Amino acid sequence: MRLGVADYLLKDDIQRLPHVIARTLEVHEARNAREQAIAELATSQRRLAELAEHLQTSIEHERAAIAREIHDDIGGALTAVRFDVAWIGRHSTDPAMQEHATSAVDMLQHAIGASQRIMMNLRPPILEQGLVAAVQWLATGFERRTGITTRMQSSSETIDIPTDIQLVAYRTAQEALTNISKHAQPSKVDIELSDKEGVLTLEVADNGRGMDSTVRDKPKAFGLKGLQERARTVGGWLDISSRPGKGTSVILSVPLPSPSKSAPGDAQ
Ligand SMILES: Nc1ncnc2c1ncn2[C@@H]1O[C@H](COP(=O)(O)OP(=O)(O)OP(=O)(O)O)[C@@H](O)[C@H]1O
Ligand SMILES: [Mg+2]
Protein backbone atom coordinates (compact mmCIF):
# COMPACT_ATOMS: atom_id res chain seq x y z
CA MET A 1 0.00 0.00 0.00
CA ARG A 2 2.99 2.27 0.69
CA LEU A 3 4.00 1.76 -2.96
CA GLY A 4 0.57 2.88 -4.10
CA VAL A 5 -1.52 -0.29 -4.10
CA ALA A 6 -5.12 0.81 -3.81
CA ASP A 7 -7.09 -2.34 -4.50
CA TYR A 8 -6.74 -6.15 -4.31
CA LEU A 9 -8.42 -9.20 -5.76
CA LEU A 10 -8.85 -12.70 -4.30
CA LYS A 11 -7.80 -15.61 -6.58
CA ASP A 12 -11.29 -17.14 -6.58
CA ASP A 13 -12.71 -13.78 -7.70
CA ILE A 14 -10.39 -13.45 -10.72
CA GLN A 15 -13.21 -12.79 -13.22
CA ARG A 16 -13.47 -9.31 -11.68
CA LEU A 17 -9.94 -8.45 -12.90
CA PRO A 18 -10.99 -6.48 -16.05
CA HIS A 19 -13.41 -4.44 -13.99
CA VAL A 20 -10.77 -3.68 -11.35
CA ILE A 21 -8.22 -2.65 -14.01
CA ALA A 22 -10.76 -0.40 -15.74
CA ARG A 23 -11.67 1.23 -12.44
CA THR A 24 -8.03 1.77 -11.50
CA LEU A 25 -7.38 3.42 -14.87
CA GLU A 26 -10.43 5.64 -14.43
CA VAL A 27 -9.32 6.74 -10.95
CA HIS A 28 -5.84 7.41 -12.25
CA GLU A 29 -7.12 9.46 -15.19
CA ALA A 30 -9.43 11.46 -12.96
CA ARG A 31 -6.53 12.22 -10.59
CA ASN A 32 -4.33 13.32 -13.52
CA ALA A 33 -7.09 15.53 -14.91
CA ARG A 34 -7.61 17.15 -11.50
CA GLU A 35 -3.90 17.84 -11.04
CA GLN A 36 -3.72 19.35 -14.51
CA ALA A 37 -6.75 21.55 -13.85
CA ILE A 38 -5.20 22.79 -10.58
CA ALA A 39 -1.92 23.58 -12.37
CA GLU A 40 -3.77 25.41 -15.18
CA LEU A 41 -5.78 27.43 -12.66
CA ALA A 42 -2.60 28.46 -10.82
CA THR A 43 -0.98 29.53 -14.11
CA SER A 44 -4.02 31.52 -15.13
CA GLN A 45 -4.20 33.24 -11.71
CA ARG A 46 -0.50 34.13 -11.95
CA ARG A 47 -1.02 35.56 -15.45
CA LEU A 48 -3.99 37.59 -14.26
CA ALA A 49 -1.95 39.01 -11.37
CA GLU A 50 0.90 39.86 -13.78
CA LEU A 51 -1.54 41.52 -16.16
CA ALA A 52 -3.09 43.55 -13.34
CA GLU A 53 0.37 44.69 -12.23
CA HIS A 54 1.32 45.59 -15.81
CA LEU A 55 -1.88 47.59 -16.28
CA GLN A 56 -1.35 49.51 -13.05
CA THR A 57 2.22 50.35 -14.02
CA SER A 58 1.16 51.46 -17.52
CA ILE A 59 -1.57 53.65 -16.06
CA GLU A 60 0.92 55.33 -13.71
CA HIS A 61 3.37 55.92 -16.59
CA GLU A 62 0.64 57.28 -18.81
CA ARG A 63 -0.56 59.62 -16.05
CA ALA A 64 2.98 60.87 -15.42
CA ALA A 65 3.41 61.52 -19.17
CA ILE A 66 0.12 63.47 -19.40
CA ALA A 67 1.07 65.48 -16.28
CA ARG A 68 4.43 66.32 -17.88
CA GLU A 69 2.75 67.51 -21.06
CA ILE A 70 0.25 69.66 -19.17
CA HIS A 71 3.14 71.15 -17.21
CA ASP A 72 5.44 71.81 -20.15
CA ASP A 73 2.95 72.84 -22.84
CA ILE A 74 -0.21 74.16 -21.22
CA GLY A 75 1.19 75.41 -17.89
CA GLY A 76 4.16 77.14 -19.56
CA ALA A 77 2.03 78.80 -22.24
CA LEU A 78 -0.61 80.01 -19.77
CA THR A 79 2.01 81.57 -17.52
CA ALA A 80 3.63 83.36 -20.47
CA VAL A 81 0.28 84.69 -21.72
CA ARG A 82 -0.62 85.89 -18.22
CA PHE A 83 2.62 87.94 -18.05
CA ASP A 84 1.98 89.45 -21.47
CA VAL A 85 -1.63 90.36 -20.73
CA ALA A 86 -0.56 91.89 -17.41
CA TRP A 87 2.10 93.89 -19.27
CA ILE A 88 -0.49 95.15 -21.78
CA GLY A 89 -2.76 96.17 -18.91
CA ARG A 90 0.05 98.05 -17.15
CA HIS A 91 1.12 99.91 -20.28
CA SER A 92 -2.31 100.90 -21.45
CA THR A 93 -3.82 104.28 -20.59
CA ASP A 94 -7.29 103.20 -21.64
CA PRO A 95 -9.32 102.26 -18.52
CA ALA A 96 -11.54 99.84 -20.50
CA MET A 97 -8.44 98.07 -21.81
CA GLN A 98 -7.01 97.88 -18.27
CA GLU A 99 -10.24 96.41 -16.98
CA HIS A 100 -10.29 93.73 -19.68
CA ALA A 101 -6.62 92.94 -19.05
CA THR A 102 -7.27 92.51 -15.31
CA SER A 103 -10.18 90.15 -15.87
CA ALA A 104 -8.14 88.18 -18.46
CA VAL A 105 -5.30 87.85 -15.92
CA ASP A 106 -7.79 86.58 -13.31
CA MET A 107 -9.16 84.04 -15.76
CA LEU A 108 -5.65 82.89 -16.70
CA GLN A 109 -4.75 82.56 -13.02
CA HIS A 110 -7.82 80.36 -12.61
CA ALA A 111 -6.75 78.18 -15.58
CA ILE A 112 -3.19 77.88 -14.19
CA GLY A 113 -4.63 76.77 -10.84
CA ALA A 114 -6.85 74.22 -12.59
CA SER A 115 -3.97 72.77 -14.61
CA GLN A 116 -1.89 72.47 -11.41
CA ARG A 117 -4.75 70.67 -9.71
CA ILE A 118 -5.12 68.27 -12.64
CA MET A 119 -1.36 67.61 -12.55
CA MET A 120 -1.44 66.91 -8.82
CA ASN A 121 -4.22 64.38 -9.37
CA LEU A 122 -2.43 62.74 -12.27
CA ARG A 123 0.98 62.55 -10.66
CA PRO A 124 0.75 62.51 -6.88
CA PRO A 125 3.13 64.89 -5.18
CA ILE A 126 4.37 62.11 -2.89
CA LEU A 127 7.67 61.61 -4.63
CA GLU A 128 8.72 65.12 -3.67
CA GLN A 129 7.04 65.50 -0.29
CA GLY A 130 6.61 62.03 1.19
CA LEU A 131 3.57 59.88 1.93
CA VAL A 132 2.44 61.65 5.12
CA ALA A 133 2.33 65.06 3.41
CA ALA A 134 0.61 63.60 0.35
CA VAL A 135 -2.14 61.84 2.34
CA GLN A 136 -2.57 64.99 4.44
CA TRP A 137 -3.00 66.95 1.20
CA LEU A 138 -5.68 64.47 0.07
CA ALA A 139 -7.45 64.72 3.44
CA THR A 140 -7.44 68.53 3.44
CA GLY A 141 -8.78 68.70 -0.12
CA PHE A 142 -11.46 66.12 0.72
CA GLU A 143 -12.60 68.07 3.79
CA ARG A 144 -12.69 71.33 1.85
CA ARG A 145 -14.69 69.85 -1.03
CA THR A 146 -17.17 67.78 0.97
CA GLY A 147 -17.44 69.60 4.31
CA ILE A 148 -16.98 66.24 6.10
CA THR A 149 -14.74 66.51 9.19
CA THR A 150 -11.56 64.63 8.26
CA ARG A 151 -8.86 63.80 10.79
CA MET A 152 -5.48 62.40 9.89
CA GLN A 153 -2.98 60.83 12.26
CA SER A 154 0.43 59.45 11.53
CA SER A 155 2.85 57.42 13.69
CA SER A 156 5.65 59.79 12.67
CA GLU A 157 6.09 63.02 10.73
CA THR A 158 7.76 61.30 7.80
CA ILE A 159 7.47 57.69 6.70
CA ASP A 160 10.41 56.65 4.59
CA ILE A 161 9.37 53.74 2.38
CA PRO A 162 9.98 52.61 -1.23
CA THR A 163 8.25 54.63 -3.95
CA ASP A 164 6.09 51.78 -5.26
CA ILE A 165 4.60 51.18 -1.79
CA GLN A 166 4.03 54.94 -1.35
CA LEU A 167 2.12 55.00 -4.60
CA VAL A 168 -0.06 52.02 -3.62
CA ALA A 169 -0.85 53.64 -0.24
CA TYR A 170 -1.60 56.98 -1.88
CA ARG A 171 -3.95 55.46 -4.48
CA THR A 172 -5.68 53.44 -1.70
CA ALA A 173 -6.36 56.60 0.32
CA GLN A 174 -7.54 58.36 -2.84
CA GLU A 175 -10.03 55.61 -3.85
CA ALA A 176 -11.25 55.15 -0.24
CA LEU A 177 -11.99 58.88 -0.01
CA THR A 178 -13.66 58.91 -3.44
CA ASN A 179 -15.85 55.99 -2.33
CA ILE A 180 -16.76 57.83 0.87
CA SER A 181 -17.87 60.91 -1.06
CA LYS A 182 -19.83 58.74 -3.53
CA HIS A 183 -21.44 56.17 -1.24
CA ALA A 184 -21.02 56.73 2.51
CA GLN A 185 -22.66 60.04 3.59
CA PRO A 186 -20.74 60.10 6.90
CA SER A 187 -20.28 62.94 9.37
CA LYS A 188 -16.58 62.19 9.90
CA VAL A 189 -13.60 60.39 8.41
CA ASP A 190 -10.49 59.17 10.25
CA ILE A 191 -7.26 58.41 8.44
CA GLU A 192 -4.38 56.67 10.20
CA LEU A 193 -0.94 55.96 8.84
CA SER A 194 1.69 53.92 10.63
CA ASP A 195 4.97 52.19 9.85
CA LYS A 196 5.28 50.51 13.26
CA GLU A 197 6.65 46.96 13.61
CA GLY A 198 7.91 46.87 10.03
CA VAL A 199 4.45 47.05 8.48
CA LEU A 200 2.93 50.02 6.72
CA THR A 201 -0.73 50.36 7.63
CA LEU A 202 -3.14 52.85 6.23
CA GLU A 203 -6.68 52.93 7.59
CA VAL A 204 -9.44 55.08 6.16
CA ALA A 205 -12.56 54.81 8.31
CA ASP A 206 -15.91 56.55 7.97
CA ASN A 207 -19.04 56.50 10.12
CA GLY A 208 -21.41 56.46 7.16
CA ARG A 209 -24.03 54.05 5.87
CA GLY A 210 -21.72 51.03 5.50
CA MET A 211 -22.47 48.06 3.26
CA ASP A 212 -22.95 44.31 3.44
CA SER A 213 -20.34 41.91 2.10
CA THR A 214 -22.18 41.19 -1.18
CA VAL A 215 -22.17 44.82 -2.27
CA ARG A 216 -18.42 45.18 -2.66
CA ASP A 217 -18.33 42.33 -5.20
CA LYS A 218 -20.88 43.88 -7.55
CA PRO A 219 -19.88 43.26 -11.17
CA LYS A 220 -19.28 46.76 -12.52
CA ALA A 221 -17.38 48.09 -9.51
CA PHE A 222 -13.62 48.03 -9.88
CA GLY A 223 -12.33 50.41 -7.21
CA LEU A 224 -12.00 47.99 -4.29
CA LYS A 225 -11.01 45.04 -6.50
CA GLY A 226 -8.31 47.19 -8.10
CA LEU A 227 -6.99 48.16 -4.66
CA GLN A 228 -6.81 44.50 -3.64
CA GLU A 229 -4.73 43.71 -6.73
CA ARG A 230 -2.55 46.77 -6.19
CA ALA A 231 -1.85 45.75 -2.58
CA ARG A 232 -0.80 42.30 -3.80
CA THR A 233 1.71 43.77 -6.27
CA VAL A 234 3.76 45.07 -3.32
CA GLY A 235 3.26 42.00 -1.12
CA GLY A 236 0.44 43.51 0.94
CA TRP A 237 -3.28 43.00 1.43
CA LEU A 238 -6.48 44.95 1.90
CA ASP A 239 -9.07 44.40 4.63
CA ILE A 240 -12.50 45.92 4.36
CA SER A 241 -14.72 45.84 7.39
CA SER A 242 -18.19 47.27 7.15
CA ARG A 243 -21.71 46.75 8.37
CA PRO A 244 -24.88 48.44 7.14
CA GLY A 245 -25.39 51.58 9.21
CA LYS A 246 -22.09 51.14 11.06
CA GLY A 247 -19.60 52.75 8.71
CA THR A 248 -16.75 51.32 6.69
CA SER A 249 -13.09 50.86 7.33
CA VAL A 250 -10.56 50.13 4.59
CA ILE A 251 -7.19 48.94 5.85
CA LEU A 252 -4.10 48.47 3.71
CA SER A 253 -1.19 46.50 5.24
CA VAL A 254 2.18 46.11 3.57
CA PRO A 255 5.16 44.44 5.26
CA LEU A 256 8.12 46.76 4.70
CA PRO A 257 11.50 45.60 3.47
CA SER A 258 13.77 45.47 6.54
CA PRO A 259 16.32 48.30 6.64
CA SER A 260 19.79 47.10 5.55
CA LYS A 261 20.65 44.46 8.12
CA SER A 262 24.10 45.19 9.48
CA ALA A 263 24.79 43.64 12.84
CA PRO A 264 27.64 45.20 14.85
CA GLY A 265 29.95 42.31 14.02
CA ASP A 266 29.38 42.82 10.28
CA ALA A 267 31.60 45.90 10.15
CA GLN A 268 34.62 43.83 9.21
N1 LIG B 1 -17.18 53.89 2.24
C1 LIG B 1 -18.24 53.24 1.72
N2 LIG B 1 -19.46 53.31 2.32
C2 LIG B 1 -20.53 52.66 1.82
N3 LIG B 1 -20.49 51.86 0.73
C3 LIG B 1 -19.33 51.74 0.09
C4 LIG B 1 -18.14 52.41 0.54
N4 LIG B 1 -17.11 52.05 -0.29
C5 LIG B 1 -17.64 51.24 -1.21
N5 LIG B 1 -18.96 51.05 -0.99
C6 LIG B 1 -19.87 50.14 -1.75
O1 LIG B 1 -19.06 49.14 -2.36
C7 LIG B 1 -19.25 49.15 -3.76
C8 LIG B 1 -17.96 48.80 -4.45
O2 LIG B 1 -17.02 49.87 -4.36
P1 LIG B 1 -16.00 50.10 -5.54
O3 LIG B 1 -15.08 51.21 -5.17
O4 LIG B 1 -15.38 48.78 -5.86
O5 LIG B 1 -16.92 50.51 -6.77
P2 LIG B 1 -17.64 51.90 -7.14
O6 LIG B 1 -17.12 53.00 -6.25
O7 LIG B 1 -19.11 51.67 -7.16
O8 LIG B 1 -17.16 52.12 -8.64
P3 LIG B 1 -15.68 52.44 -9.16
O9 LIG B 1 -15.34 51.27 -10.05
O10 LIG B 1 -15.82 53.74 -9.88
O11 LIG B 1 -14.78 52.54 -7.97
C9 LIG B 1 -19.79 50.54 -4.08
O12 LIG B 1 -20.57 50.55 -5.25
C10 LIG B 1 -20.60 50.88 -2.85
O13 LIG B 1 -21.89 50.33 -2.93
MG1 LIG C 1 -15.00 53.24 -6.03
Side-chain angles (χ1 to χ4, degrees), residues 175 179 182-183 223:
E175 171 64 17
N179 275 351
K182 268 164 56 178
H183 313 292

Side-chain angles (χ1 to χ4, degrees), residues 47-119:
R47 273 204 213 113
L48 197 62
E50 280 167 9
L51 178 67
E53 186 175 352
H54 171 74
L55 286 178
Q56 302 290 8
T57 319
S58 326
I59 290 170
E60 291 301 341
H61 283 162
E62 193 85 346
R63 286 175 167 210
I66 298 172
R68 252 193 322 274
E69 277 183 33
I70 294 177
H71 177 267
D72 296 351
D73 297 342
I74 301 178
L78 285 176
T79 310
V81 174
R82 190 192 59 182
F83 273 115
D84 281 341
V85 175
W87 188 91
I88 293 170
R90 273 200 314 277
H91 288 82
S92 165
T93 45
D94 179 358
M97 175 93 103
Q98 283 173 348
E99 199 182 312
H100 278 292
T102 310
S103 85
V105 167
D106 286 349
M107 221 36 220
L108 284 163
Q109 190 54 46
H110 178 77
I112 291 168
S115 75
Q116 275 165 351
R117 228 178 24 253
I118 295 169
M119 274 190 299

